Amino acid sequence: MKNLVKRFAKDESGATAIEYGLIAALISVVIITVLTNVGTSLNAKFGSVESALKGA
């Protein structure tokens, strides 16, 4: 039983998987934030083009 507890304490594969999951989640949040900001900017730009074309 003691040997099993020692092996469990030394096993880091689960921690590595959790770390990779957290990194992937962080990257996803950053990508979503950037794309949302770019989408807002593009929407404003196309709105100004639309109003300029309507006025012509």
Side-chain angles (χ1 to χ4, degrees):
M1 186 68 168
K2 209 175 200 184
N3 191 18
L4 180 65
V5 172
K6 284 182 182 179
R7 278 191 315 177
F8 180 74
K10 288 182 180 180
D11 187 17
E12 295 183 3
S13 62
T16 303
I18 291 172
E19 289 169 356
Y20 283 136
L22 290 173
I23 290 170
L26 178 64
I27 291 171
S28 299
V29 168
V30 169
I31 289 172
I32 290 169
T33 303
V34 167
L35 289 178
T36 300
N37 290 339
V38 168
T40 304
S41 299
L42 280 175
N43 195 16
K45 182 61 87 173
F46 281 121
S48 65
V49 169
E50 178 188 13
S51 58
L53 289 174
K54 282 183 181 179

